[in-house]
């Protein structure tokens, strides 16, 4: 179990050894390793199977741009698929499994797909699975679903917690390589509030992967010193293991901080990850550059990787990816990989340089003007075939190959918000354009400034500029001496030879042939190329492949690359766990809960609660002998109508409206009139939308000359308040009116039934006889010996009824007092179900009737819309279409056979007509069982309903498969003359 | 003190307010403060301001809170403030303020519309950066704002570096309490 590919050096801690497993086999590594570096050190190159063809694959990169080495990390409930082995920090006991293969990584039965590749080219699914049509649902779709997807889920509950947080800074520096560190140090020393974030667990970026020096230090050593100085500055916040996910408006960036992923188990109470919202005044993208390969036949074997990754494994992690390696390059940077590996004692068999005119490199076999045209080795590279400048070929045995096609500035975040990149011929790559996110500038390799010196210098200068723009004076740090070599590239995107497949997007298995096919099929724009071939649509968003695809398309269409254009990136920069996006909003805490003042008492009674928005309302309170909800609800209704019932109605919106123009304001927002309402009186009101449709209903009480309280339905409390504030602030700012919500401030209970007054007289200190407090009166009173309270004589049930309000802290005491006082009357506390039964029995409209499509006229309340004054919705409510004779009208409905139950949503269909839309005469909006009448009753909207009383018609429900014959009746089933109300 | 027979409950549903502690901080339910919204009526600014001075109610600028005896106040909106007073002596706060302001102001009792949690301890910004977007490191004593905490609209009042009030909708007292405690456990 020795790490056979481990070589000297690297930034790993060899004094500690870590045990881990991959596919059940045990290996050793060290702190500082990633899973990929540790596996490579153990001689493991094969780490995955490709998505479509199940070809054996290994890592091509050493960072988050990795397309191939996706593993399932951890086991049990914490198992996570599609983790890049190249960024997974090694820890003691780490368990990982390869994915997308069966039965094993080395023998995958699904690799049969590779033999069927001619049938599985780009867009194959547009041309197959079409016939016979019936096979789609039963055979093809299940087959495809089974084969599709990458990785598997544990299906267990995620046991970890995730936080969300908010940070503020003057300057956000994205990336802690040389340019980011120079920028952060410049800004930090100037006293600005700086946040420096890097996705890696160690700051330094490519300095940790190179053998450069900065001044008298090694690159990595300079990074360590710089970080130490930054850590000591109180105005600088260092965030390692933190990926900036996206650029949003107003300088806001999202980021995910991996707090605990490098630990076997998170510390108890601490989050696994935090999703940060970073409010920055300015930001600098210092995210470096990502290397791109050159495509050639069979360029995807395990052991073939980007040349920069090859040397990163050697320099940062002390790993030789193969015992005998070669490098294939079209630029000077690739040469560096060959030299670095040779300097570490690795056998470098050849440096294949596509540039015939490259400066010769001594000390190794430098094949100038050569190209790698093929490779062999099924589960791991065994040799490459090289075509020489003179046309001859040579087969060179190697176990690893580094490929360098150039470097792409990592402009991902600069292209969010539709920032179009700009082509730069000198480096044959795109650089950030001028129209990226506001306040974001770019430094270092991300801007196309590739050398270490250029990175340091641009980082410092951009920091000075960014701070200057927000009024903070800063001096750039002194730039230590560092290498300043140019890239020197001669573009080569793919090798033009060989009949086999050359791979571009290795995660989605897209080849050069696929690009040619797209071109042939006329999907030539870069947006069509992407979607037709799926190039760049995998979890890596094409970081190492996009440009190859579009360069090849450019060649095929004969257009230059800048004209071909490029697709742009969108957040998240790398995949983010859904848990992080959810934060604390999960399970019972998904949304806040609102509890009513009677909640404690109701819980003690064993009440059944229902969610009404965020509220928990008592739905009914079962007695021990009751087994069905109908028994409880029927009892609550009967007891209320027989004697007295109490219901918590706190949740209905209450809005305090004051000011000398309060009455005028109400006249404008309500369809009917309120300025004429007397002090100490309440009136039912209808509120319309601008288009004449009913928005909400409620009652408004006038407590004083310039003081009203408006109520709304529970669901519309917030929307109506917003609407009123809009009217006040925007429509009529000249009116003297002030508003504030008082929904929460007062506990409010309905007391209804023939004994309602008698019950309340035991608690209310004042005279509330029928003479002193008639129907629709209101006023400020005191209860129980002097507590301030409010009383409103209004009824939703149709019984003699009141609503009594006390400050919420006394709400619990109040319900107990009401219950106690009600004992002698066999009073019942009723919930929302009974509330609903009674209002339907009385014929009151509620949410089901206020459905956003209905007018006052539909509801039988047309006369409430006053034509004597202007109000919101008044004019448009008079539109011809809304005032048809045959329009819908609210009716009452009862089954002809009283034993039949009605179903809400059933449609009125005349006898002899088929149940289709053309014969639809309306529908049942609310259905309840009336214990009083002993049968099902309903309210409904019926075409021309007011002329059809007594008619018999069918109610048909095609979903519930029911049909019941009904009679159309008045919607007021109980006490139509309103005698009980005025008792 | 009112003499009626009804006993109050705290927002968290108990007889006495709750105080919980975690690490360096404590979270205390505050129930002995009466609240009223005070808004100037049209063309009454001068008379209103005189009345406020007479009765001793401060009128802080936007984003601010001013403490005084017996009245404190924080800014709610244009020409609108939330006034605080001791509950024991000012329970019926509207009855106290109305005579002073007369027709110059709209006054509404707000005491039981809100739950107030005072968070006391050191390094409060580290906890609050898990809760809301208010930049506490840039806003010190005497600042106040409206913000969102776990989907709830709340007011924050900074009394001092180590005492912050979180004032949120009373019916969601449990949700707010849970959010505060979770943030403390995460941060410390």
């Amino acid at each position: 179990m020795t790490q056979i590919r481990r070589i000297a050096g690297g930034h790993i801690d060899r004094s500690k050894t870590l045990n881990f497993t991959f596919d059940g086999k045990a290996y050793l590594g060290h702190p500082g390793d990633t899973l990929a570096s540790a596996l490579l050190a153990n001689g493991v190159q094969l780490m995955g199977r490709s998505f479509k063809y199940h070809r054996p694959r290994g890592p091509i990169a050493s960072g988050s741009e990795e397309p191939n080495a996706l593993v399932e990390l951890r086991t049990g409930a914490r198992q996570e698929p599609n983790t890049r082995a190249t960024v997974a920090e090694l820890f003691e006991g780490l368990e990982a499994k390869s994915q997308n293969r069966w039965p094993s990584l080395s023998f995958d039965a699904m690799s049969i797909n590779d033999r069927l590749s001619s049938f599985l080219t780009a867009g194959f699914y547009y041309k197959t699975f079409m016939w016979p049509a019936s096979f789609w649902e039963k055979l093809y779709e299940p087959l495809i679903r089974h084969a599709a997807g990458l990785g598997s889920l544990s299906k267990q509950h995620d046991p970890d917690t995730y936080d969300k947080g908010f940070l503020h800074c003057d300057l956000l520096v994205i990336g802690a390589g040389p340019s980011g560190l120079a920028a952060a140090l410049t800004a930090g020393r100037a006293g600005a509030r700086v946040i420096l974030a890097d996705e890696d667990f160690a700051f330094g970026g490519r300095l940790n992967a190179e053998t450069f020096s900065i001044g008298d230090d090694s690159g990595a050593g300079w990074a360590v010193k710089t970080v130490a100085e930054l850590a000591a500055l109180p105005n600088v916040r260092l965030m390692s293991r933190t990926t900036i996910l996206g650029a949003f408006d107003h300088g806001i960036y999202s980021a995910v901080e991996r707090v605990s992923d490098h630990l076997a188990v998170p510390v108890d109470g601490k989050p696994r990850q935090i999703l940060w919202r970073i409010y920055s005044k300015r930001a600098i993208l210092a995210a470096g550059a990502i290397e791109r390969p050159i495509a050639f036949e069979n360029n995807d074997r395990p052991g073939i990787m980007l040349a920069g990754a090859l040397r990163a494994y050697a320099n940062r992690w002390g790993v030789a990816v193969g015992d005998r390696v070669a490098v294939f390059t079209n630029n000077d940077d690739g040469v560096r990989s060959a030299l670095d590996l040779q300097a570490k004692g690795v056998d470098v068999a050849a440096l294949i340089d596509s540039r015939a005119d490259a400066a010769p490199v001594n000390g190794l076999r430098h094949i100038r003007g050569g190209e790698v045209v093929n490779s062999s080795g099924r589960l791991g590279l065994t040799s490459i075939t090289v075509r020489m400048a003179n046309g001859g070929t040579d087969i060179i045995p190697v176990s690893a190959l580094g490929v360098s096609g150039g470097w792409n500035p990592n402009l991902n975040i600069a292209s969010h918000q539709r920032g179009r990149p700009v082509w730069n011929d000198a480096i044959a790559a795109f650089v950030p354009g001028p129209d990226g996110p506001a306040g974001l500038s770019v430094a270092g390799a991300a801007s196309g400034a590739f050398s270490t010196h250029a990175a340091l210098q641009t980082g410092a200068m951009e920091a000075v500029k960014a701070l200057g723009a927000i009024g903070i004076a800063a001096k750039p740090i002194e730039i230590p001496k560092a290498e300043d070599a140019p890239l020197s590239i001669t573009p080569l995107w793919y090798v033009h030879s060989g009949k086999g497949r050359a791979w571009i997007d290795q995660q989605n298995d897209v080849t050069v042939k696929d690009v040619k096919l797209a071109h042939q099929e006329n999907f030539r724009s870069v947006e069509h190329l992407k979607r037709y071939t799926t190039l760049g649509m995998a979890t890596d968003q094409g970081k190492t492949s996009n440009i190859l695809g579009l360069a090849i398309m450019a060649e095929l269409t004969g257009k230059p690359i800048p004209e071909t254009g490029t697709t742009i990136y969108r957040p998240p920069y790398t995949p983010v766990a859904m848990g992080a996006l959810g934060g604390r909003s999960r399970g019972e805490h998904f949304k806040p809960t609102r509890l009513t003042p009677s909640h404690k008492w109701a819980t003690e009674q064993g009440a059944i609660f229902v969610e009404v928005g965020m509220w928990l309302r008592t739905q009914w309170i079962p007695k021990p002998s009751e087994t069905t909800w109908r028994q409880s609800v029927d009892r609550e209704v009967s007891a209320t109508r027989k004697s007295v019932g109490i219901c918590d109605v706190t949740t209905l919106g209450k809005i305090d409206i004051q000011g000398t123009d309060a009455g005028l304001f109400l006249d404008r927002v309500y369809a009917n009139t309120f300025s004429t309402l007397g002090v100490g009186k309440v009136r039912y009101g209808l509120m319309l939308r601008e288009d004449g449709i009913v928005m909400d209903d409620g009652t408004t009480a006038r407590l004083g000359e310039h003081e009203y309280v408006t109520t709304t339905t529970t669901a519309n409390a917030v929307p109506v308040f917003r609407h009123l504030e809009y009217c006040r602030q925007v429509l009529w700012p000249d009116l003297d009116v002030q508003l504030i919500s008082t929904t929460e401030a007062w506990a409010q209970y309905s007391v209804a039934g023939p004994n309602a007054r008698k019950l309340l007289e035991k608690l209310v200190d004042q005279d509330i006889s029928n003479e002193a407090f008639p129907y629709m009166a209101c006023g400020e009173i005191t209860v129980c010996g002097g507590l301030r309270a409010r009383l409103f004589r209004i009824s939703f049930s149709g019984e003699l009824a009141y609503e009594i309000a006390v400050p919420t802290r006394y709400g619990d005491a109040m319900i107990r007092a009401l219950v106690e006082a009600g004992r002698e009357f066999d009073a019942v506390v009723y919930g929302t179900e009974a509330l609903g039964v009674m209002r339907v029995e009385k014929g009151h409209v509620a949410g089901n009737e206020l459905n956003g499509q209905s007018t006052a006229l539909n509801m039988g309340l047309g006369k409430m819309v006053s034509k004597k004054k202007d109000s919101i919705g008044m004019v448009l409510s008079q539109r011809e279409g809304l005032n048809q004779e045959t329009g819908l009208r609210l009716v009452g409905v009862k089954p002809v056979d009283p034993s039949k139950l009605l179903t809400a949503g059933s449609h009125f269909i005349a006898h002899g007509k088929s149940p289709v839309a053309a014969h639809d005469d309306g529908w049942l909006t609310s259905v309840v069982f009336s214990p009083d009448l002993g049968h099902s009753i309903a309210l409904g909207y019926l075409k021309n309903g007011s002329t059809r009383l007594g008619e018999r018609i069918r109610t048909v429900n095609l979903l519930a498969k029911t049909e019941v014959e009904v009679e159309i009746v008045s919607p007021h089933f109980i006490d139509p003359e309103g005698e009980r109300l005025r008792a | 003190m009112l003499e009626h027979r009804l006993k109050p409950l705290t927002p968290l549903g108990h007889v006495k307010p709750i105080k919980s502690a975690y690490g360096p901080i404590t979270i205390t339910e505050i129930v002995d403060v009466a609240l009223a919204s005070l808004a100037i009526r049209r063309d009454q600014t001068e008379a209103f301001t005189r009345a406020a001075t007479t009765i001793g109610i401060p009128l802080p600028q936007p984003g601010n809170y001013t403490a005084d005896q017996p009245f404190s106040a924080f800014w709610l909106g244009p020409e609108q403030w939330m006034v605080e007073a001791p509950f024991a002596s000012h329970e019926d706060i509207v009855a106290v303020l109305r005579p002073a302001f007369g027709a110059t102001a709209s006054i509404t009792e707000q005491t039981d519309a809100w739950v107030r949690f005072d968070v006391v301890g050191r390094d409060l910004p580290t906890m609050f950066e898990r809760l809301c977007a208010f930049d506490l490191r840039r806003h010190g004593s005497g600042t106040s704002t409206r913000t969102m905490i776990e989907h709830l609209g709340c007011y924050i009042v900074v009394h001092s570096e180590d005492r912050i009030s979180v004032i949120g909708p009373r019916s969601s007292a449990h949700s707010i309490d849970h959010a505060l405690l979770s943030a403390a456990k995460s941060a410390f």
Side-chain angles (χ1 to χ4, degrees):
Chain A
M1 212 155 349
T2 57
Q3 301 168 56
I4 56 174
R5 293 277 167 261
R6 192 69 82 178
I7 56 178
H11 306 292
I12 53 172
D13 181 1
R14 288 170 207 260
S15 73
K16 297 191 180 67
T17 306
L18 302 172
N19 295 280
F20 71 99
T21 67
F22 179 61
D23 279 349
K25 199 155 168 235
Y27 299 98
L28 297 177
H30 302 287
D33 264 326
T34 60
L35 175 59
S37 68
L39 282 171
L40 289 168
N42 283 275
V44 175
Q45 287 180 339
L46 174 63
M47 294 186 203
R49 288 277 178 162
S50 71
F51 175 53
K52 192 158 65 164
Y53 298 119
H54 290 256
R55 287 171 68 87
R57 293 277 171 80
I60 71 164
S62 60
S64 65
E65 65 273 16
E66 172 57 33
N68 286 335
L70 304 183
V71 302
E72 281 175 2
L73 199 62
R74 295 185 289 275
T75 57
R78 291 199 164 86
Q79 175 188 311
E80 193 169 41
N82 301 326
T83 308
R84 289 148 175 72
T86 51
V87 299
E89 240 176 295
L90 198 69
F91 55 85
E92 174 64 30
L94 182 151
E95 292 174 81
K97 274 191 358 241
S98 57
Q99 50 186 46
N100 203 43
R101 79 296 180 272
W102 180 84
S104 73
L105 194 51
S106 45
F107 178 76
D108 181 4
M110 288 300 287
S111 59
I112 187 85
N113 285 0
D114 204 22
R115 316 256 171 169
L116 303 171
S117 61
S118 311
F119 300 103
L120 298 173
T121 52
F124 74 93
Y125 34 80
Y126 301 121
K127 304 164 185 166
T128 52
F129 305 116
M130 302 279 180
W131 181 89
S134 57
F135 273 37
W136 173 256
E137 207 177 309
K138 299 228 161 66
L139 181 61
Y140 298 144
E141 201 193 344
L143 250 176
I144 294 170
R145 280 193 184 280
H146 196 72
L150 212 47
S152 67
L153 297 173
S154 70
K155 309 245 176 83
Q156 294 179 53
H157 208 57
D158 184 346
D160 292 326
T161 51
Y162 300 78
D163 267 353
K164 286 198 179 168
F166 307 82
L167 297 175
H168 301 262
C169 62
D170 294 317
L171 182 68
L172 170 66
V173 180
I174 303 169
S179 58
L181 287 169
L185 194 56
T186 300
R189 282 178 182 170
R193 289 169 86 189
V194 179
I195 293 176
L196 174 63
D198 197 293
E199 58 180 353
D200 205 330
F201 50 90
F203 285 130
R206 278 220 65 95
L207 295 177
N208 293 328
E210 306 290 4
T211 53
F212 301 144
S213 52
I214 295 184
D216 296 325
D217 295 305
S218 66
W222 179 86
V224 169
K225 275 193 184 152
T226 306
V227 170
E229 184 181 336
L230 289 168
L233 291 172
N235 52 314
V236 174
R237 187 177 185 129
L238 298 174
M239 302 184 75
S240 61
R241 301 185 175 96
T242 301
T243 303
I244 303 297
L245 297 172
F248 297 89
D249 290 334
H250 313 303
I252 299 175
Y253 292 81
S254 63
V256 65
E257 180 184 358
R258 288 172 290 281
V259 177
S260 311
D261 281 337
H262 59 292
L263 307 171
V265 173
V267 174
D268 191 38
K270 299 284 176 255
R272 177 197 167 201
Q273 297 176 356
I274 303 173
L275 187 77
W276 293 105
R277 210 180 316 191
I278 303 176
Y279 294 75
S280 75
K281 297 209 177 103
R282 285 290 184 276
I284 294 176
L285 181 64
I290 297 175
E291 198 171 21
R292 60 186 185 234
I294 303 166
F296 57 89
E297 188 174 343
N298 290 313
N299 63 321
D300 67 327
R301 300 195 191 281
I304 302 180
M305 61 170 57
L306 295 163
L310 199 65
R311 76 172 182 265
Y313 283 118
N315 292 331
R316 177 169 172 180
W317 286 288
V319 173
V321 175
D323 57 347
R324 194 159 192 262
V325 313
V327 173
F328 177 27
T329 185
N330 67 1
N331 63 82
D332 279 354
D333 190 77
V335 174
R336 203 170 9 229
S337 288
L339 296 175
D340 277 6
L341 281 154
Q342 193 180 55
K344 298 211 95 147
V346 177
D347 180 3
V348 180
L351 166 64
I352 302 107
D353 197 327
S354 65
R355 306 167 295 169
D357 58 354
V361 175
N362 296 320
L364 47 77
R365 183 181 174 194
H366 187 186
I367 303 174
R368 292 186 291 153
E371 291 177 339
V372 177
V373 297
N374 209 335
S375 74
S376 54
R378 179 114 181 104
L379 299 181
L381 186 66
T382 54
S383 72
I384 54 174
T385 306
V386 178
R387 188 186 54 220
M388 314 297 198
N390 61 14
T393 59
D394 192 11
I395 294 178
I396 306 176
V398 285
S399 51
L401 172 70
V403 183
S404 183
W407 288 78
N408 297 326
N410 189 5
L411 45 73
N412 190 306
I413 282 173
S415 70
H416 292 178
Q417 300 177 29
R418 308 204 66 76
R420 288 272 154 201
V422 167
W423 181 253
N424 182 316
D425 263 327
I427 56 173
F430 283 99
V431 296
D435 58 352
L440 177 70
S441 52
V442 191
S447 67
F450 287 150
S451 73
T452 312
H453 170 81
L456 294 166
Q457 185 179 59
T458 54
M461 286 319 300
E462 289 301 331
V464 169
K465 267 198 275 179
L467 292 183
I470 55 173
I472 300 177
K475 260 178 37 178
I477 59 165
E478 221 178 281
I479 310 294
K481 196 163 177 327
E483 64 81 28
D484 200 11
L487 183 63
S488 285
I489 179 172
T490 303
L492 173 67
W493 309 102
Y494 71 106
V495 170
H496 292 60
S497 90
K499 295 246 161 44
R501 289 165 293 164
W503 303 86
I504 304 175
D505 182 333
Q506 293 200 27
Q507 192 167 128
N508 263 358
D509 269 347
V510 179
T511 62
V512 172
K513 275 188 185 178
D514 290 325
V515 178
K516 290 183 173 167
L517 182 63
H519 177 262
Q520 183 186 315
E521 307 251 326
N522 208 25
F523 291 100
R524 296 179 185 184
S525 85
V526 72
E527 300 288 350
H528 283 152
L529 166 65
K530 170 181 175 177
R531 285 147 182 93
Y532 188 72
T533 63
T534 75
L535 163 73
M537 294 179 72
T539 68
D540 62 338
Q541 276 197 64
K543 290 187 173 79
T544 53
S545 57
N546 283 338
I547 195 168
L548 256 64
L550 75 93
I552 295 166
M553 181 59 83
E555 205 178 278
L556 292 167
T557 55
K559 286 201 210 151
I561 288 175
E563 241 184 82
T564 306
T566 180
T567 53
I568 53 177
Y569 295 96
R570 51 186 69 138
Y573 175 68
T574 46
V576 61
M578 297 303 285
L581 298 176
R584 296 271 171 185
S585 304
R586 50 186 295 184
E588 61 172 306
H589 299 290
F590 174 69
K591 53 185 192 228
T593 310
R594 298 173 81 174
L595 301 179
T596 62
S598 64
H599 189 85
K600 186 171 181 179
W601 176 87
T603 307
E604 290 163 11
Q605 312 310 311
I608 304 300
F609 294 102
V610 63
E611 286 184 25
V612 184
M614 297 196 291
W615 290 102
L616 286 180
R617 295 191 73 179
T618 296
Q619 201 175 7
W620 68 84
I621 305 179
K623 289 266 175 290
S625 57
E626 289 164 352
T627 52
T628 70
W629 64 271
R630 269 282 313 280
Q631 290 176 310
S632 312
V633 174
D634 287 357
R635 172 180 50 77
E636 288 176 8
V637 172
S638 299
T640 301
R641 292 211 185 279
K642 184 165 165 218
S643 178
V644 59
I646 304 152
C647 182
D648 189 327
V649 294
T650 305
T651 64
L652 279 77
K654 305 184 259 307
I655 304 171
D656 187 269
I657 303 179
Q658 295 187 37
T660 57
D661 289 327
L664 176 56
F665 178 80
L666 286 166
D667 282 353
R668 291 185 185 178
V669 300
Y670 270 126
N672 52 326
T673 311
F674 280 87
S675 53
T676 55
L677 184 66
V679 174
K681 291 270 181 258
V682 193
R683 184 173 287 168
Y684 175 68
L686 214 55
M687 213 176 267
L688 306 185
R689 294 193 318 225
E690 284 286 3
D691 63 357
I693 301 294
V694 174
M695 175 167 66
D696 198 49
D697 71 343
T699 59
T700 289
R702 188 169 191 174
L703 293 178
E705 202 199 334
H706 297 130
E707 186 177 356
Y708 296 77
V709 176
T710 289
T711 69
T712 75
T713 58
T714 298
N716 281 332
V718 171
V720 167
F721 182 71
R722 275 212 187 107
H723 169 68
L724 295 186
E725 273 291 353
Y726 177 82
C727 294
R728 180 182 87 89
Q729 294 183 34
V730 179
L731 297 182
W732 316 304
D734 52 313
L735 288 189
D736 180 28
V737 64
Q738 295 80 37
L739 312 172
I740 193 161
S741 166
T742 51
T743 310
E744 301 259 339
W746 296 86
Q748 193 142 330
Y749 298 103
S750 162
V751 182
N755 287 319
R757 181 185 296 118
K758 290 202 180 115
L759 191 166
L760 284 172
E761 278 171 339
K762 291 168 74 171
L763 300 174
V764 177
D765 299 326
Q766 290 78 24
D767 176 9
I768 55 165
S769 62
N770 194 26
E771 295 69 38
F773 213 89
Y775 178 55
M776 300 307 271
C778 70
E780 287 173 335
I781 54 163
T782 64
V783 296
C784 300
L787 174 65
R788 65 197 176 286
R790 292 159 170 199
L791 192 64
F792 310 85
R793 189 170 157 187
I794 49 179
S795 176
F796 198 41
S797 58
E799 298 300 322
L800 164 65
Y802 302 77
E803 287 189 15
I804 185 161
V806 293
T808 310
R809 67 178 61 197
Y810 301 106
D812 176 84
M814 192 66 202
I815 184 99
R816 293 177 199 270
L818 285 165
V819 167
E820 186 54 43
R823 243 180 254 293
E824 69 169 282
F825 307 108
D826 295 320
V828 73
V829 173
Y830 64 93
T832 56
E833 288 299 323
L835 181 77
V837 170
M838 288 192 281
R839 70 98 186 161
V840 170
E841 287 177 329
K842 185 60 185 169
H844 282 146
V845 294
N848 297 8
E849 289 75 39
L850 273 65
N851 60 1
Q853 301 174 341
S854 305
T855 63
L857 186 57
N858 293 143
M859 296 173 200
L861 300 171
K863 294 207 172 74
M864 280 188 71
V865 183
S866 167
K867 308 285 193 298
K868 295 195 197 140
K869 56 150 176 96
D870 195 11
S871 65
I872 293 177
M874 188 272 276
V875 169
L876 288 184
S877 72
Q878 296 171 66
R879 288 181 282 159
E880 199 183 305
L882 296 179
N883 289 276
Q884 299 291 305
E885 279 293 314
T886 54
L888 297 171
R889 296 287 184 273
L890 187 74
V891 295
V893 180
K894 67 176 192 186
V896 169
D897 173 2
S899 70
K900 293 262 183 351
L901 291 176
L902 299 174
T903 313
S906 302
H907 284 258
F908 293 114
I909 306 286
H911 285 290
K913 294 275 206 287
S914 57
V916 294
H919 301 146
D920 183 9
D921 266 6
W923 68 93
L924 300 184
T925 54
S926 303
V927 171
V928 297
F929 183 88
S930 166
D932 216 80
L933 300 173
H935 59 75
S936 199
I937 58 171
L939 297 176
Y941 283 131
L942 177 66
K943 278 187 185 162
N944 211 359
S946 36
T947 64
R948 297 170 79 167
L949 290 187
E951 182 178 321
R952 290 192 173 190
I953 192 170
R954 295 144 68 205
T955 56
V956 179
N957 192 313
L958 294 178
L959 286 177
K961 298 193 181 14
T962 58
E963 180 171 324
V964 179
E965 199 195 1
V966 299
E967 182 183 329
I968 305 304
V969 297
S970 157
H972 309 294
F973 297 89
I974 302 274
D975 187 35
E977 302 305 314
E979 286 165 7
R980 301 187 200 186
L981 294 172
R982 291 172 171 76
Chain B
M1 211 50 191
L2 298 178
E3 292 301 327
H4 59 80
R5 303 190 295 276
L6 296 179
K7 303 256 177 295
L9 277 195
T10 67
L12 287 178
H14 303 285
V15 173
K16 294 227 178 317
I18 303 278
K19 178 176 178 164
S20 35
Y22 184 83
I25 61 115
T26 58
I27 302 170
T28 309
E29 218 182 341
I30 304 293
V31 300
D32 57 358
V33 177
L35 297 171
S37 155
L38 187 63
I40 309 180
R41 290 194 178 173
R42 188 183 53 204
D43 297 333
Q44 298 295 329
T45 309
E46 253 188 68
F48 172 91
T49 312
R50 276 199 306 273
T53 308
T54 306
I55 194 177
I57 292 178
L59 301 175
Q61 289 295 302
N64 280 303
Y65 166 82
T66 306
D68 208 339
Q69 299 281 359
F71 297 109
S72 305
F74 59 91
W75 187 86
L76 281 185
E79 303 185 323
Q80 190 181 14
W81 292 265
M82 187 76 89
V83 177
E84 298 177 342
F87 186 84
S89 51
H90 292 68
E91 178 173 343
D92 191 352
I93 189 168
V94 173
V96 172
L97 297 179
R98 264 237 168 101
F101 286 92
T104 68
S106 291
I107 308 171
T108 315
E109 182 177 331
Q110 284 282 292
T111 307
D112 286 345
W114 303 95
V115 57
R116 171 171 152 181
F117 292 102
D118 277 11
V119 183
V120 176
R122 53 163 183 78
D123 202 10
L124 294 181
T126 297
M127 170 183 161
F128 277 81
E129 69 189 17
R130 307 282 172 116
L131 286 169
C132 65
F134 190 37
D135 189 2
L136 277 174
R137 295 175 210 272
R138 278 269 149 97
H139 294 90
S141 298
T143 59
S144 167
T145 190
R146 173 106 182 178
T147 184
M148 292 284 277
I149 293 179
E150 291 296 338
H151 314 289
L152 293 164
C154 296
Y155 292 101
I156 299 263
V157 173
V158 183
H159 293 278
S160 67
E161 201 181 274
D162 46 30
R163 186 159 78 91
I164 292 175
S165 291
V166 175
I167 300 167
R170 185 198 172 94
S171 64
S172 293
H174 284 95
S175 299
I176 299 172
D177 190 45
H178 175 82
L180 294 176
L181 203 56
S182 302
K185 285 191 175 149
S186 245
F188 297 123

